[in-house]
Amino acid sequence: AQTVTQSQPEMSVQEAETVTLSCTYDTSESDYYLFWYKQPPSRQMILVIRQEAYKQQNATENRFSVNFQKAAKSFSLKISDSQLGDAAMYFCAYRSKDSGGSNYKLTFGKGTLLTVNP
Amino acid sequence: NAGVTQTPKFRVLKTGQSMTLLCAQDMNHEYMYWYRQDPGMGLRLIHYSVGEGTTAKGEVPDGYNVSRLKKQNFLLGLESAAPSQTSVYFCASSGRLQSSYNEQFFGPGTRLTVL
């Protein structure tokens, strides 16, 4: 079974600076999807960015980018020019592409709580 | 487009009481999911459905039942609530798996407390 590990329970960053959140995963599959979700105090789960494993180019969405290292099974999230509204819990998630298995299911890490200091 | 909605948003139950959480989606999605979120545990899948009339167990199904009588609705039932079921419950939906990424869209959550 796949597992997702977020080794930083909490992180903090100064407004306007850059922060990187770590995520590693364990899988025997060669193709899959990876996601970062943001959960602000409102509780709403918001998709931040996504990456398909066979795509070597790192995904970017405005101030959010990932560093996808497939061999190392690492999928870190970089937030540039941090804003107060970025303060939230961030979850890394994995989805299999295996058509015969659990490709419906998201496996989540335990989350990293990001604080943005003014 | 309301997306995914959940009712109620908050609920307090006594041990042994029963209740049903309702999830509705207006995106014509095939797949629907129920997760629970506990502090330090991330989200864990309770049950899911791959289409109208079908349901299946996830990681933590014990103590819960589900039904999907209509494509747009997915109900989560607690027959005899226990304090261990105190949690925040999220519903999610997604389209066909063949679609790229098959992104899951989440509802706003239901905070349930069992005394």
Side-chain angles (χ1 to χ4, degrees):
Chain A
Q2 294 83 18
T3 58
V4 177
T5 301
Q6 294 179 248
S7 59
Q8 306 153 316
E10 297 184 21
M11 292 280 286
S12 63
V13 63
Q14 291 296 126
E15 199 174 2
E17 295 191 345
T18 296
V19 65
T20 298
L21 308 184
S22 300
C23 173
T24 58
Y25 56 94
D26 185 26
T27 184
S28 59
E29 298 173 341
S30 60
D31 201 9
Y32 42 86
Y33 300 104
L34 295 164
F35 304 86
W36 277 98
Y37 279 88
K38 171 185 177 181
Q39 186 181 42
S42 67
R43 283 204 315 247
Q44 182 68 51
M45 293 288 286
I46 303 164
L47 181 64
V48 174
I49 200 165
R50 55 195 184 185
Q51 175 85 38
E52 205 161 352
Y54 82 89
K55 292 184 177 178
Q56 294 186 348
Q57 186 173 6
N58 289 325
T60 299
E61 290 286 343
N62 300 315
R63 297 182 295 106
F64 298 87
S65 61
V66 297
N67 183 7
F68 174 49
Q69 301 287 331
K70 190 174 183 180
K73 297 180 182 176
S74 171
F75 184 60
S76 60
L77 175 69
K78 185 172 83 171
I79 306 174
S80 303
D81 185 25
S82 296
Q83 300 175 358
L84 295 177
D86 294 334
M89 182 73 85
Y90 286 82
F91 292 97
C92 180
Y94 171 103
R95 185 168 81 79
S96 169
K97 265 195 180 182
D98 178 10
S99 61
S102 56
N103 55 345
Y104 57 89
K105 174 187 165 184
L106 278 177
T107 300
F108 286 89
K110 295 183 177 182
T112 296
L113 180 62
L114 179 65
T115 302
V116 181
N117 300 311
Chain B
N1 241 356
V4 181
T5 58
Q6 294 181 230
T7 52
K9 288 187 170 50
F10 302 92
R11 186 72 186 269
V12 177
L13 289 179
K14 294 181 180 178
T15 297
Q17 288 185 319
S18 63
M19 77 161 294
T20 300
L21 281 66
L22 170 64
C23 176
Q25 52 93 6
D26 60 3
M27 297 174 281
N28 199 34
H29 281 167
E30 296 292 331
Y31 288 76
M32 296 188 75
Y33 315 82
W34 276 108
Y35 292 90
R36 61 177 288 171
Q37 183 180 21
D38 302 296
M41 295 294 291
L43 277 76
R44 294 181 292 170
L45 185 65
I46 304 171
H47 286 282
Y48 67 99
S49 168
V50 302
E52 183 179 322
T54 71
T55 63
K57 294 180 179 180
E59 297 174 73
V60 288
D62 294 342
Y64 305 95
N65 56 76
V66 288
S67 64
R68 188 141 177 229
L69 300 179
K70 295 182 179 180
K71 185 177 183 179
Q72 64 268 33
N73 295 337
F74 195 29
L75 306 179
L76 177 71
L78 287 73
E79 289 188 349
S80 180
S84 61
Q85 294 178 303
T86 294
S87 188
V88 179
Y89 291 86
F90 286 94
C91 178
S93 71
S94 62
R96 292 188 179 276
L97 292 178
Q98 291 81 359
S99 63
S100 181
Y101 292 104
N102 188 235
E103 175 187 344
Q104 291 190 15
F105 294 84
F106 284 82
T110 296
R111 181 176 292 278
L112 175 66
T113 301
V114 183
L115 302 176

